[in-house]
């Protein structure tokens, strides 16, 4: 490419080689002695691919990182990936099954070797995609939650918490995935409304005096019922509290209890209590001292015998016909038995929320099992105080309430998972089941020998830790903890955490608790909480809906056929494929064009309004691709004005437009710096767009043309001032833009900066512009704004009267004041050149103006005589034809909006669009009327 940038802007030609150069030169490593600034990358799953949420969040973090690096701060964006216990184990298990293998047959050690092999071969996909996005992480420091250093730190944290009495093992209800056969976190459970049934079952009173009807959506858990609850204030049942019932099928005697948990309006007002298989029932059981009866095996089949926890209950035997049945097969059998005993009163269709595992899609079972827990209450108190005292600030502040609400209701945290891939729990069991927690096996054996008085065989706990446990340690373990490293001293606490609201509980709060516990300080000073990325219709993006966009496809482009194949491949509900294909072909008839990284990043920034979800529309990306093209062409124009270095040397005089654009740059610099410091990314993007598109490209470049043309009446000093300003303002603007559009700004800066004496390996290390408000020239601003207003007025007449741009116009000025006359004379060269004037004359106030189109600029009357300029008859005919078309459109829109069926059935956004269209037609008709009135005076 030549220095005149003589080819069109092609992102694909510059992005990869640009990023490779940045990384090879180590530009993302912390440098200098400036104030430390650190951001932790929320570690994406090692199995993951970049989705729109990642791309949005990473763009915002990169903007912050690049700004602070350019400000001279010692900046670290710490990257890394999460080992993703469930997702990774599932992925490798599927590979084994396809090969005819089996994890259990392979054994733990061999299986883990296979997973590590996969990780080394395929585990870096998402970080390669992040590079495509331009993220300036210090990749030389990349961590992995299962690397040796972090594994050592995780073990150390577990042991220390256990030694403090903050980790224990206990039997409690957990979310259990019967396909994966492991406990899962709430975040890994997706609850959606599904069609089901409500079965009304009669439970006979033990004394034979009648029965109670109990409504349930899960009759298979009846085998584990230990009570029936009613509301103590329900007059229908108050007298029955304390009596007993005979449990159908099991013939077990169970009590009727009163508890305010029961909703008298739901079903019959009687609720079966199964503490081992329902979280709410568990709480009821705890309040009333009820036993727990486990009905299921780990794979959700009916046990051969009930597992009993508690006293004072005769559990009874499970009927042989039910033993070993899958829970849903057992449901059918139990309903048949109830019907046979005439105890199934009725069945009603019922919609209910069904929890499914996000990986297996299996219905999650509340399951009673032994797990490891963190005792959270002692950790939560200082974490609450840290936010109350302002040591951590949420942005926007309304997230404080969400944080406090959860922290005040927090329960102990289940941290064990029944997997092989992960941090194996550092606990060993002696012959009698005594637990020895230690940093390594030798220490466990030493402690056991001391306890038993002799060496014994120990068995290590097979479970691994929840991945959220290692992630909660991320801000300090990645910096070298438990060692006291220079990085830890320098970068902890980190500066800001950028995250989505959905993991405030699962990750943010836990990082705060454990950071305070182990570092005696908060892990970050601020938490910027962003919204979700939704599709153009405001719907959440999901594979099942077929509305997912791949950010790499927006960067590189994708054909329609490839897009359809991608969206319909691997669906959990294959029957949705046809619907998804139809919608995709309609929305993306020509596929998705290549927009490049910078256009995508600028779109994310422009949409990042605080605290709101963003509605992502490809038209916005297309508009920002045009913005990239405009900057490219503007830079090409600027460079074409400099034939050689000598053209920039010598005496300089700055004309009013130069002083004006310098002032506009200061306003933009102030606005962008302020917005970024307040995490108002959309405001920063808006300020950049307005400055470059409107001030620099649309106006200032045009204002330079009369000065720089070959027959210019301006002096060489004035021309030199204009050339220098053209480049210097562009160079500063590119530095201001760089954190949002890194590739385009780098490519252009490398061409422009040397011409004005600026050197450096990269714009990424150049100084970030800071506003100097003393450079704002009020006189130049006033003069230039007057000039632009007059030019706009003349161009408005051309547009409204459909006058060709090539037609030279006579201009009359009337009224105004002495300043208007002085400005009209001083800025005549710009008025003639940019308004395409044939002449300019002043009319006295007493003189009657000829028939003309009129525009006002303050008190100044701007008149464009139209006689001889337009064909009045042809213009009348054109206006009449346009009016007829608009009136027809108006009638159609009015009729549609007048239909009650349209307003009641159409989505609200469609109705709003139609109303907006009607308002636009009204405005156009009004403008046509004004134009017609002007013609009547000719």
């Amino acid at each position: 490419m030549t220095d005149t940038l003589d080819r069109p802007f092609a992102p694909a030609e510059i992005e990869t080689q640009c990023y490779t150069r940045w990384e090879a030169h180590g530009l993302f490593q912390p440098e200098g002695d400036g104030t430390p600034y650190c951001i932790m990358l929320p570690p994406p799953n090692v199995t993951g691919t970049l989705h729109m949420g990642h791309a949005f969040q990473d763009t915002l973090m990169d903007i912050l990182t690049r700004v602070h690096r350019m400000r001279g701060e010692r900046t670290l964006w710490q990257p890394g990936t999460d080992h993703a216990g469930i997702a990774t184990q599932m992925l490798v298990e599927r590979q084994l099954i396809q090969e005819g293998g089996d994890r259990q047959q392979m054994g733990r050690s061999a299986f883990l070797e296979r997973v590590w092999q996969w990780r080394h071969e395929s585990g870096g996909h998402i970080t390669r995609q992040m590079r495509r996005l331009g993220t300036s992480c210090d990749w030389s420091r990349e961590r992995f939650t299962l690397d040796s250093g972090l594994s050592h730190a995780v073990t150390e944290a577990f042991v220390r918490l256990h030694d403090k009495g903050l980790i224990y093992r206990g039997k409690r209800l957990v979310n259990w995935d019967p396909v994966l056969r492991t406990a899962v976190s709430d975040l890994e459970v997706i609850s959606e409304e599904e069609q089901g049934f409500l079965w009304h079952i009669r439970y006979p009173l033990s004394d034979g005096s009648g029965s109670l009807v109990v409504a349930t959506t899960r009759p298979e858990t009846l085998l584990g019922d230990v009570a029936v609850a009613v509301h103590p204030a329900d007059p229908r049942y108050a007298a029955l509290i304390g009596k007993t019932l005979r449990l159908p099928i099991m013939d077990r005697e169970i009590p009727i209890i009163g508890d305010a948990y029961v909703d008298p309006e739901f079903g019959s007002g009687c609720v079966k209590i199964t503490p081992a298989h329902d979280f709410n029932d568990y709480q009821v059981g705890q309040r009333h001292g009820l036993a727990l009866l486990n009905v299921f095996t780990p794979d959700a089949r009916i046990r051969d015998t009930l597992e009993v926890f508690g006293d004072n209950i005769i559990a009874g035997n499970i009927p042989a016909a039910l033993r070993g049945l899958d829970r849903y097969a057992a449901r059918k059998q139990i309903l048949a038995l109830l019907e046979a005993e005439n105890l199934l009163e009725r069945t009603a269709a019922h919609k209910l929320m069904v929890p499914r595992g996000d990986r297996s899609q299996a219905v999650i079972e509340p399951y009673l099992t032994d797990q490891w827990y963190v005792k959270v209450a002692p950790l939560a108190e200082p974490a609450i105080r840290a936010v109350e005292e302002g040591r951590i600030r949420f942005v926007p502040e309304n997230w404080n309430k969400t944080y406090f609400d959860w922290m005040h209701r927090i329960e102990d945290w289940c941290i064990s998972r029944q997997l092989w891939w992960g941090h194996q729990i550092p606990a060993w069991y002696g012959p009698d089941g005594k637990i020895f927690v230690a940093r390594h096996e030798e220490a466990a054996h030493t402690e056991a020998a001391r306890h038993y008085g002799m060496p014994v065989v120990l068995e290590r706990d097979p479970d691994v830790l929840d991945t959220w446990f290692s992630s909660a340690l991320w801000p300090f373990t990645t910096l070298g903890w438990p060692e006291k490293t220079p990085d830890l001293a320098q970068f902890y606490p980190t500066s800001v955490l950028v995250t989505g609201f959905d993991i405030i509980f699962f990750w943010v709060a836990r990082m705060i608790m454990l950071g305070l516990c182990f570092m005696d300080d908060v892990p970050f000073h601020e938490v910027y909480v962003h919204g979700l990325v939704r599709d153009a219709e405001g719907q959440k993006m999901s594979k099942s809906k077929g509305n997912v966009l791949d950010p790499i496809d927006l960067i590189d482009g994708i054909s329609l056929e490839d897009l359809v194949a991608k969206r319909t491949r691997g669906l959990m509900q294959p029957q949705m494929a046809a619907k998804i294909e139809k919608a995709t072909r309609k929305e993306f008839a020509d596929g998705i064009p290549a927009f490049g990284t910078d256009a995508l990043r600028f779109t994310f920034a422009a949409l990042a309004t605080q605290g709101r979800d963003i509605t992502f529309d490809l038209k916005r990306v297309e508009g920002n691709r045009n913005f990239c093209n405009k900057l490219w062409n503007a830079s090409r124009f600027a460079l074409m004005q400099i034939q050689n270095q000598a053209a920039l040397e010598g005496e300089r005089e700055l004309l009013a437009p130069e002083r004006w654009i310098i002032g506009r740059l200061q306003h933009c610099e102030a606005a962008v710096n302020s917005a970024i410091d307040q995490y108002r990314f959309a405001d920063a993007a808006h300020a950049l767009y307005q400055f470059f598109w409107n001030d620099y490209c649309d106006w200032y470049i045009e204002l330079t043309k009369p000065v720089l043309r070959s027959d210019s009446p301006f002096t060489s000093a004035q021309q030199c001032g204009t050339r220098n300003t053209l480049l210097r303002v562009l160079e500063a603007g590119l530095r201001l833009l760089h954190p949002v559009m890194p590739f385009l700004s780098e490519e252009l800066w490398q061409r422009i900066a040397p011409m004005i004496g600026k050197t450096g390996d990269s714009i990424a290390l150049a100084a970030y512009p800071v506003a100097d408000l003393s450079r704002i020239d009020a006189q130049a601003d006033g003069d230039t704004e007057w000039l632009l207003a007059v030019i706009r007025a003349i161009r408005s007449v051309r547009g409204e009267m459909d006058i060709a741009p090539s037609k030279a116009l006579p201009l009359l000025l009337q009224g105004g004041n002495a300043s208007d006359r002085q400005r009209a004379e001083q800025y005549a060269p710009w008025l003639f050149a940019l308004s395409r004037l044939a002449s300019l004359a002043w009319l006295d106030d007493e003189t009657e103006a000829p028939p003309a189109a009129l525009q006002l600029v303050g008190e100044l009357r701007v008149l464009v005589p139209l006689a001889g300029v337009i064909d009045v008859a042809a213009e009348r005919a054109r206006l009449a034809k346009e009016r007829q078309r608009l009136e027809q459109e108006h009638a159609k829109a009015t009729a549609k909006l007048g239909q009650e069926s349209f307003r009641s059935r159409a989505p609200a956004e469609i109705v709003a669009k139609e109303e907006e269209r009607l308002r636009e037609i009204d405005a156009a008709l009004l403008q046509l009327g004004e134009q017609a009135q002007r013609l009547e005076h000719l």
Side-chain angles (χ1 to χ4, degrees):
M1 183 175 290
T2 69
D3 284 340
T4 53
L5 307 176
D6 58 358
R7 288 193 288 181
F9 174 52
E13 292 182 7
I14 65 173
E15 290 178 359
T16 301
Q17 64 180 19
C18 186
Y19 196 92
T20 301
R21 186 170 66 249
W22 286 336
E23 195 169 358
H25 284 76
L27 299 188
F28 305 151
Q29 296 173 11
E31 295 289 345
D33 300 319
T35 303
Y37 182 86
C38 182
I39 295 180
M40 289 284 158
L41 174 73
N45 285 353
V46 69
T47 56
T49 56
L50 197 72
H51 58 59
M52 292 295 279
H54 288 134
F56 176 49
Q57 178 172 274
D58 292 350
T59 295
L60 303 186
M61 283 187 282
D62 195 49
I63 290 171
L64 292 171
T65 301
R66 288 179 181 272
V67 166
H68 286 273
R69 184 184 293 121
M70 293 175 75
R71 286 176 177 173
E73 297 172 34
R74 186 170 170 79
T75 303
L76 169 63
W77 185 8
Q78 172 64 54
T81 50
D82 189 282
H83 62 276
I86 293 176
T88 308
Q89 182 160 319
M90 281 184 67
L91 185 151
V92 177
E93 278 199 77
R94 284 198 197 105
Q95 291 181 351
L96 284 176
I97 291 169
Q98 289 170 358
E99 297 167 6
D102 176 82
R103 171 170 68 95
Q104 298 294 339
Q105 291 177 356
M106 177 179 273
R108 183 169 192 147
S109 179
F111 177 75
L112 290 179
E113 284 184 18
R114 176 64 182 264
V115 182
W116 276 108
Q117 178 187 342
W118 173 87
R119 191 260 170 179
H120 292 309
E121 292 174 356
S122 308
H125 182 63
I126 194 165
T127 56
R128 289 190 293 273
Q129 290 180 311
M130 286 180 63
R131 288 170 168 87
R132 292 295 316 279
L133 196 65
T135 52
S136 60
C137 302
D138 182 359
W139 296 109
S140 68
R141 296 168 177 257
E142 183 178 354
R143 303 303 300 268
F144 178 53
T145 48
L146 271 179
D147 69 33
S148 60
L150 293 190
S151 294
H152 167 65
V154 167
T155 298
E156 182 67 26
F158 185 98
V159 172
R160 290 192 192 184
L161 289 170
H162 183 268
D163 289 349
K164 291 180 179 181
L166 295 175
I167 282 184
Y168 65 92
R169 184 167 171 81
K171 189 179 289 292
R172 298 176 60 174
L173 276 191
V174 296
N175 293 315
W176 184 264
D177 188 315
V179 171
L180 302 178
R181 301 189 194 184
T182 180
V184 294
S185 72
D186 289 344
L187 194 63
E188 294 156 328
V189 178
I190 308 299
S191 292
E192 293 184 347
E193 189 175 70
E194 297 184 16
Q195 184 62 54
F197 296 93
L198 195 60
W199 287 278
H200 296 255
I201 304 168
R202 286 193 292 112
Y203 284 44
L205 286 159
S206 299
D207 61 10
S209 62
S211 62
L212 289 184
V213 175
V214 173
T216 181
T217 58
R218 304 179 68 215
E220 62 275 15
T221 64
L222 173 150
L223 306 177
D225 287 0
V226 295
V228 167
V230 298
H231 195 284
D234 191 333
R236 296 173 295 177
Y237 309 118
L240 296 176
I241 295 173
K243 292 191 174 185
T244 61
L245 300 161
R246 301 303 300 182
L247 179 64
I249 299 175
M250 297 297 292
D251 199 34
R252 183 166 63 239
E253 194 169 20
I254 60 174
I256 301 170
I257 61 174
D259 197 283
Y261 155 68
V262 178
D263 178 5
E265 302 300 320
F266 180 77
S268 63
C270 301
V271 178
K272 59 193 284 302
I273 302 300
T274 319
H277 295 288
D278 183 278
F279 289 103
N280 291 318
D281 290 5
Y282 180 84
Q283 296 299 329
V284 174
Q286 294 296 296
R287 287 195 291 272
H288 294 269
L290 300 175
L292 296 92
L293 304 182
N294 180 26
V295 173
F296 295 130
T297 61
D299 59 351
R301 294 181 176 275
I302 303 299
R303 294 173 57 87
D304 289 341
T305 59
L306 291 168
E307 191 176 16
V308 182
F309 304 97
D311 303 320
N312 304 321
I313 189 166
I314 300 173
N317 296 318
I318 296 174
L322 299 176
R323 297 171 194 168
L325 291 181
D326 171 79
R327 54 185 162 168
Y328 297 115
R331 174 184 291 182
K332 291 180 181 178
Q333 192 79 351
I334 287 169
L335 291 171
L337 291 171
L338 290 170
E339 202 156 21
E341 293 183 28
N342 199 29
L343 294 177
L344 182 61
E345 184 165 280
R346 63 190 177 93
T347 302
H350 176 69
K351 287 186 176 179
L352 69 160
M353 299 301 291
V354 177
R356 292 185 180 273
D358 66 344
R359 301 290 178 184
S360 68
Q361 295 300 301
V363 175
I364 295 298
E365 193 66 50
Y367 190 62
L368 193 64
T369 178
D370 288 310
Q371 302 287 344
W372 289 90
Y373 291 88
V374 173
K375 189 182 295 182
V376 177
L379 298 171
E381 291 176 14
I384 291 169
R385 284 199 305 274
V387 177
E388 288 176 337
E389 295 167 0
R391 287 184 286 150
I392 294 176
R393 183 173 77 97
F394 279 89
V395 182
E397 288 189 3
N398 61 286
W399 290 109
N400 284 7
K401 183 177 182 298
T402 304
Y403 173 80
F404 289 137
D405 180 60
W406 188 71
M407 292 296 282
H408 285 299
R409 295 185 296 107
I410 197 167
E411 296 182 357
D412 287 356
W413 170 20
C414 175
I415 56 170
S416 48
R417 298 290 181 266
Q418 288 61 58
L419 304 169
W420 286 355
W421 175 245
H423 298 102
Q424 191 170 355
I425 289 172
W428 287 260
Y429 299 95
D432 57 358
K434 180 172 174 58
I435 300 172
F436 299 92
V437 170
R439 289 172 176 81
H440 46 77
E441 188 170 4
E442 292 80 3
H445 276 286
T446 300
E447 182 63 27
R450 186 181 301 117
H451 173 77
Y452 292 111
M454 61 179 180
V456 295
V457 175
L458 298 180
E459 183 177 349
R460 187 168 185 176
D461 193 311
D463 291 352
V464 300
L465 287 165
D466 176 14
T467 54
W468 290 106
F469 186 83
S470 50
S471 295
L473 309 172
W474 187 252
F476 50 92
T477 55
T478 52
L479 297 173
W481 187 91
E483 306 302 323
K484 294 182 178 179
T485 64
D487 282 347
L488 197 59
Q490 188 168 62
F491 293 114
Y492 190 95
T494 65
S495 305
V496 62
L497 178 74
V498 178
T499 185
F501 65 85
D502 51 339
I503 56 173
I504 288 177
F505 326 121
F506 297 97
W507 191 43
V508 179
R510 289 165 178 169
M511 282 192 288
I512 295 172
M513 290 189 288
L514 295 185
L516 288 165
C517 176
F518 291 115
M519 294 296 297
D520 198 29
D521 204 348
V522 296
F524 26 73
H525 295 300
E526 295 179 308
V527 181
Y528 174 70
V529 183
H530 60 73
L532 296 176
V533 181
R534 298 183 179 273
D535 70 9
E537 302 301 320
Q539 298 292 313
K540 186 175 180 180
M541 291 188 182
S542 72
K543 177 80 173 174
S544 62
K545 291 179 181 176
N547 62 347
V548 169
L549 289 171
D550 182 338
I552 302 301
D553 291 341
L554 302 185
I555 293 171
D556 293 340
I558 186 172
S559 70
L560 174 60
E561 297 308 319
D562 286 344
L563 182 61
V564 167
K566 177 180 282 192
R567 285 185 157 192
T568 54
R569 188 186 305 124
L571 292 172
M572 291 294 182
Q573 298 172 288
Q575 68 272 19
M576 295 294 292
K579 182 179 179 181
I580 290 169
E581 178 176 353
K582 181 179 179 182
T584 301
R585 291 187 180 280
K586 180 180 179 182
E587 186 176 1
F588 303 101
D590 300 316
I592 297 175
F595 295 115
T597 299
D598 288 313
L600 177 61
R601 286 174 59 114
F602 196 89
T603 303
F604 281 134
L607 292 172
T609 51
Q610 282 192 5
R612 299 179 186 171
D613 289 352
I614 71 170
T615 301
F616 195 87
D617 189 340
L618 281 191
K619 291 185 177 63
R620 294 290 296 267
V621 194
E622 184 179 357
N624 291 322
R625 168 61 196 262
N626 295 338
F627 181 42
C628 292
N629 289 336
K630 198 171 183 82
L631 283 170
W632 184 269
N633 293 332
S635 301
R636 180 170 61 183
F637 171 84
L639 289 169
M640 288 173 65
Q641 308 314 305
I642 319 300
Q643 298 302 319
N644 51 57
Q645 198 67 33
L648 294 169
E649 297 170 354
E651 184 183 352
R652 301 176 204 162
E653 179 186 344
L654 300 186
L655 297 163
E658 278 62 58
R659 301 196 302 278
W660 169 79
I661 194 63
I662 289 170
R664 296 305 300 157
L665 176 63
Q666 307 315 307
H667 284 296
C668 183
E669 288 172 352
V672 171
N673 275 280
S674 174
I676 287 175
D677 286 343
Q678 297 175 63
Y679 306 106
R680 292 186 288 105
F681 299 97
D683 291 350
H686 178 74
L688 287 164
Y689 188 92
Q690 292 299 317
F691 171 75
F692 273 112
W693 190 287
N694 295 336
D695 297 338
Y696 188 84
C697 296
D698 277 0
W699 282 115
Y700 181 62
I701 282 180
E702 292 302 303
L703 292 169
T704 66
K705 291 177 180 178
V707 180
L708 298 177
R709 70 188 187 200
S710 58
D711 59 345
S712 166
F714 295 92
T715 67
S716 59
Q718 290 169 335
Q719 290 181 323
C720 186
T722 296
R723 289 192 185 96
N724 271 278
T725 303
L726 195 60
L727 288 187
R728 290 178 183 277
V729 168
L730 177 57
E731 186 275 336
L734 289 172
R735 283 186 280 126
L736 196 64
L737 177 68
H738 173 72
V740 187
M741 287 185 164
F743 294 112
L744 175 66
S745 58
E746 178 75 272
E747 183 72 11
L748 297 177
W749 187 83
Q750 292 289 350
R751 308 294 176 140
I752 291 160
M755 301 193 72
I756 57 173
K758 289 187 177 290
T759 59
D761 289 338
S762 169
I763 190 175
L765 301 181
Y768 200 65
V770 177
D772 180 358
L773 301 184
S774 69
R775 301 190 71 190
I776 297 173
D777 186 326
Q779 180 64 47
D781 285 358
D783 287 355
T784 306
E785 292 297 343
W786 178 92
L787 172 61
L788 302 187
V790 174
I791 295 171
R792 285 192 197 98
I794 298 166
R795 289 178 175 177
S796 179
V797 170
R798 281 189 186 274
E800 290 175 3
M801 304 309 293
D802 199 27
I803 302 170
S806 60
K807 179 78 172 177
L809 299 176
L811 180 67
L812 298 176
L813 300 176
Q814 188 178 45
N817 53 35
S819 176
D820 289 320
R821 286 181 174 271
Q822 184 269 326
R823 284 168 167 167
E825 181 180 354
Q826 182 178 352
Y827 298 106
W830 286 279
L831 287 173
F832 271 83
L834 302 184
S835 302
R836 186 94 172 124
L837 297 184
S839 61
L840 188 159
W842 280 87
L843 291 179
D844 294 335
D845 291 348
E846 298 79 17
T847 304
E848 184 178 351
L854 168 67
Q855 294 280 331
L856 292 176
V857 176
E859 298 298 318
L860 179 66
R861 293 162 58 85
V862 179
L863 298 145
V864 179
L866 296 176
V869 173
I870 64 171
D871 182 332
V872 176
E875 181 63 9
R876 281 196 184 114
R878 186 187 73 81
L879 292 178
K881 184 176 181 181
E882 180 64 7
R883 171 175 284 279
Q884 183 181 22
R885 184 188 72 81
L886 287 174
E887 286 175 342
Q888 290 173 349
E889 291 295 316
H890 191 281
K892 288 180 184 177
T894 302
K896 180 181 283 189
L897 287 167
Q899 295 173 4
E900 180 57 34
S901 59
F902 172 72
R903 286 189 173 276
S904 61
R905 294 177 185 174
E909 61 268 19
I910 300 298
V911 175
K913 281 183 182 178
E914 197 66 21
E915 290 173 339
E916 177 61 25
R917 181 165 165 268
L918 188 60
R919 286 192 292 271
E920 290 172 355
I921 295 171
D922 284 333
L925 285 169
L926 182 63
Q927 189 177 44
L928 282 180
E930 292 170 352
Q931 289 176 250
Q933 284 182 355
R934 290 195 189 98
L935 290 178
E936 295 307 314
H937 295 294
L938 299 181

